Amino acid sequence: MQQYRSDVVIVGGGLAGIVAALELLSAGKRVTLLERDTEDNFGGLAKESFGGILMVGTPEQRRSGIRDTPELALQDWLSFGEFGRDESAEFWPRRWADAYVNDSHGEIYRWLKARGIGFLPLPLWVERGQFGGGNSVPRWHVTWGTGHVLATQLIRTLLAHPRRDALTLRFNHRVEALMEDAGRISGCRGVTEGTGEEFSEHADAVLVATGGINGSIERVRQHWHADWRSPPEIILNGSHKFADGMLHDAVQSAGGNITHLDRMWNYAAGVRHWKPRKPGHGLSLVPSRSALWLNWRGERIGPHPLVSGFDTRDLVTQICRQEKQYSWQLLNHKIALKELAVSGAEFNPSVRNKSITGFLRDALLGNRWLVEQLTENCIDFVMASSLPELVEKMNALQGDKAVDFDTVRGVAERYDTEIDRGPVLHNDEQLRRIAHVRKWRGDRIRTCKFQKILDPGAMPLIAIREFIISRKSLGGIQTDLDSRVLSKSGVPIPGLYAAGEAAGFGGGGMNGLRGLEGTFLGGCIYSARRAAQSIKQ
């Protein structure tokens, strides 16, 4: 067995692990970072993300005329999160929520800006709440360069640190268990991927930053929330392939408390990746607001039509209530050009590569590259020049006759007729929401102005088959505000810390039942910094 020694061992090379390593090196610690994946994938899921971060009271908000305060943000957070009535179970999540909104400007925004990370000038307004109670104002700050630049810039900073010699990076190292000595966590042990060679890492402190459980569809099913009935037959994987909960088990075996694993941030509009890098690899679409969201029969899901940007969790809930738990979105080429998007860095090259010209081109003229990529390669997209042909292709894709042509035609014609009446007479909730969304500049540029579905000038028609896709864990290892892992009796376990998604982004579930979006990357940064500050004392 290979045996190593350092002051602090960090398990996990995602955003939380990188941030913690930076802070600990600056504090004079000798740090070992163990990462299960290859060096090419250093940065984890954050490097693949779109890079949105929730922050409060930023210059970008003020320049856009947004008046935001920690008090307002906390009110929105607690309302949207629907924290349970068990005060003991929600004690630490609530304290983390309070701390996050009060510290986000200094501990996240200013910290990132000092390290060369910038943001798009206009914050986006997501998770507004189905009937209010979500984000009262735009707070979602998109990293200029997406999560790819966020991760790679911090990695470059880490590798160029003046104390780089005090940092050891070990890739392909799978940690399987924690070690204990005299009542204190004294390190960890595991095996090297590929060779199977065993190793142990001894340290004064161990920081678990290995992500959540949503990369294991088996665990997703095991902890499926009661609100969502039974798990769907097909759940795509939009999480990290190694976010499998192995370290949750190790922490639990060491006496740590694991909470709220049934709280997940899954998405409703997953489609299959045509170049999968893991089993069930899915892409999470940003659902087009002007598309009609239909169930497996082609009926419009209701009574309140599904529209993205208000309550992501409710979209999942409504689809899981259907007899068959997948859905269709009906749109046309004109809608797709303006509104179709995929979450993450991979399919947003203009932002990822910091191309102002490309960004403006896509925003003003439509993202033709993306539409072509999806319609030509993704099995879950079908196109046709007429509605009868489209419905025939929908049924052929699914291998049945479930989608009824007359039903789909009726849905589309009623919606188009409603648009023809004009905005003054619009009496459709989807059209009202579109009108509301378009009042904010950041949304108006990528939302059609009451676009009809069967418009002959907007052809061809497109139907997208969409599945539930796993993404993030909102629950996890319970921690106090110093990121110390707590036992079931609420006592810190000496030498053991957790940060990022492994800790439910802090406290074992700081978002509650829902997240205001952007608290995920932000939570990784914030909880990692708090962990490092605690360890270095």
Side-chain angles (χ1 to χ4, degrees):
M1 176 183 287
Q2 293 289 326
Q3 298 190 45
Y4 311 109
R5 172 75 199 184
S6 57
D7 295 331
V8 183
V9 58
I10 299 170
V11 187
L15 182 59
I18 293 165
V19 171
L22 273 169
E23 297 287 88
L24 289 165
L25 285 179
S26 297
K29 298 293 185 181
R30 291 181 299 119
V31 178
T32 295
L33 190 152
L34 302 174
E35 167 56 41
R36 184 175 172 183
D37 212 338
T38 63
E39 187 172 1
D40 290 343
N41 294 324
F42 193 19
L45 197 60
K47 192 161 70 173
E48 300 177 19
S49 72
F50 192 49
I53 303 175
L54 183 142
M55 294 175 289
V56 180
T58 65
E60 285 80 1
Q61 286 182 307
R62 291 193 293 272
R63 285 194 293 267
S64 299
I66 302 166
R67 297 180 180 179
D68 198 10
T69 65
E71 292 76 19
L72 178 60
L74 183 61
Q75 175 184 308
D76 293 345
W77 189 309
L78 297 179
S79 171
F80 201 54
E82 288 190 53
F83 287 82
R85 297 181 180 179
D86 186 343
E87 293 186 6
S88 62
E90 305 292 2
F91 177 79
W92 288 112
R94 284 175 177 268
R95 291 198 65 187
W96 273 93
D98 192 347
Y100 183 103
V101 297
N102 280 283
D103 293 345
S104 67
H105 183 265
E107 298 296 312
I108 303 173
Y109 180 84
R110 286 167 54 188
W111 189 84
L112 289 174
K113 292 288 283 187
R115 284 151 185 81
I117 305 298
F119 304 94
L120 294 179
L122 195 64
L124 299 182
W125 196 359
V126 295
E127 299 305 310
R128 305 176 185 210
Q130 184 74 351
F131 303 105
N135 279 308
S136 298
V137 297
R139 297 189 176 104
W140 202 53
H141 297 69
V142 176
T143 304
W144 182 228
T146 71
H148 182 83
V149 165
L150 173 67
T152 55
Q153 174 71 9
L154 292 179
I155 290 171
R156 283 194 294 269
T157 304
L158 179 65
L159 298 180
H161 195 280
R163 296 191 65 250
R164 172 65 179 85
D165 290 346
L167 171 67
T168 301
L169 298 174
R170 302 192 197 283
F171 296 99
N172 300 302
H173 277 58
R174 183 178 76 233
V175 174
E176 296 180 330
L178 300 172
M179 300 187 300
E180 184 179 349
D181 183 25
R184 181 182 183 87
I185 298 302
S186 59
C188 58
R189 58 182 173 81
V191 298
T192 304
E193 296 278 4
T195 67
E197 183 179 16
E198 295 183 347
F199 70 87
S200 63
E201 183 79 40
H202 299 266
D204 299 325
V206 175
L207 173 61
V208 177
T210 50
I213 67 168
N214 281 51
S216 167
I217 301 302
E218 180 182 354
R219 293 206 189 217
V220 169
R221 293 181 182 280
Q222 179 184 347
H223 296 285
W224 197 249
H225 199 280
D227 287 355
W228 292 336
R229 297 191 346 178
S230 59
E233 180 181 348
I234 295 174
I235 302 174
L236 299 180
N237 194 340
S239 188
H240 195 284
K241 63 181 179 180
F242 290 144
D244 57 7
M246 182 180 292
L247 263 293
H248 290 66
D249 294 343
V251 168
Q252 194 166 41
S253 296
N257 192 25
I258 312 296
T259 64
H260 306 307
L261 289 184
D262 63 340
R263 296 178 180 178
M264 305 178 196
W265 200 244
N266 298 324
Y267 289 100
V271 296
R272 300 174 194 274
H273 200 310
W274 54 94
K275 293 182 179 179
R277 298 186 292 273
K278 55 194 168 187
H281 190 176
L283 298 173
S284 180
L285 302 184
V286 179
S288 301
R289 293 189 175 105
S290 298
L292 296 179
W293 215 320
L294 314 178
N295 68 11
W296 64 285
R297 289 193 182 98
E299 301 161 335
R300 195 176 183 192
I301 298 175
H304 296 282
L306 304 191
V307 184
S308 66
F310 292 88
D311 188 338
T312 295
R313 189 178 193 278
D314 184 68
L315 298 177
V316 176
T317 303
Q318 296 306 322
I319 290 168
C320 286
R321 285 178 179 170
Q322 306 301 312
E323 182 180 342
K324 294 188 178 180
Q325 297 160 307
Y326 67 91
S327 60
W328 294 94
Q329 277 205 299
L330 176 64
L331 62 160
N332 55 45
H333 193 251
K334 186 175 182 179
I335 293 173
L337 284 177
K338 194 172 187 68
E339 299 187 10
L340 189 61
V342 178
S343 177
E346 181 180 2
F347 292 94
N348 291 278
S350 296
V351 181
R352 184 190 65 217
N353 299 330
K354 297 185 178 182
S355 170
I356 296 175
T357 302
F359 177 75
L360 292 175
R361 178 201 63 222
D362 294 344
L364 297 175
L365 302 179
N367 198 338
R368 296 182 182 277
W369 171 84
L370 178 64
V371 173
E372 290 175 2
Q373 282 283 303
L374 292 170
T375 54
E376 291 177 6
N377 296 296
C378 183
I379 190 176
D380 296 308
F381 279 69
V382 294
M383 284 200 311
S385 56
S386 68
L387 193 59
E389 182 188 0
L390 186 75
V391 171
E392 184 178 346
K393 288 186 175 182
M394 293 165 71
N395 283 325
L397 176 61
Q398 192 58 27
D400 56 29
K401 298 291 184 181
V403 180
D404 180 70
F405 168 70
D406 289 333
T407 299
V408 176
R409 180 180 61 183
V411 166
E413 288 179 348
R414 283 191 294 273
Y415 183 76
D416 288 356
T417 299
E418 191 72 31
I419 291 176
D420 282 335
R421 292 193 179 102
V424 174
L425 298 178
H426 282 173
N427 194 29
D428 185 285
E429 182 61 22
Q430 184 164 345
L431 295 176
R432 283 193 284 264
R433 289 186 182 269
I434 289 172
H436 172 60
V437 162
R438 284 179 51 83
K439 291 179 180 179
W440 177 244
R441 298 191 307 277
D443 289 311
R444 184 167 59 245
I445 196 171
R446 48 189 299 272
T447 305
C448 293
K449 185 178 180 180
F450 310 129
Q451 173 59 49
K452 294 193 294 184
I453 302 297
L454 303 180
D455 178 0
M459 296 296 174
L461 292 169
I462 301 172
I464 311 171
R465 181 180 60 177
E466 298 173 345
F467 301 97
I468 304 300
I469 181 170
S470 72
R471 192 64 172 175
K472 308 178 187 80
S473 304
L474 297 188
I477 302 166
Q478 191 175 61
T479 58
D480 63 10
L481 283 177
D482 291 322
S483 293
R484 297 181 299 180
V485 174
L486 302 175
S487 68
K488 288 188 177 180
S489 59
V491 177
I493 297 175
L496 186 57
Y497 301 79
E501 191 177 352
F505 305 97
M510 71 174 187
N511 287 282
L513 200 59
R514 293 178 182 81
L516 290 173
E517 277 287 12
T519 59
F520 312 133
L521 295 179
C524 287
I525 296 166
Y526 184 57
S527 60
R529 294 200 67 208
R530 292 199 74 119
Q533 290 162 12
S534 177
I535 292 170
K536 72 183 182 183
Q537 293 175 358

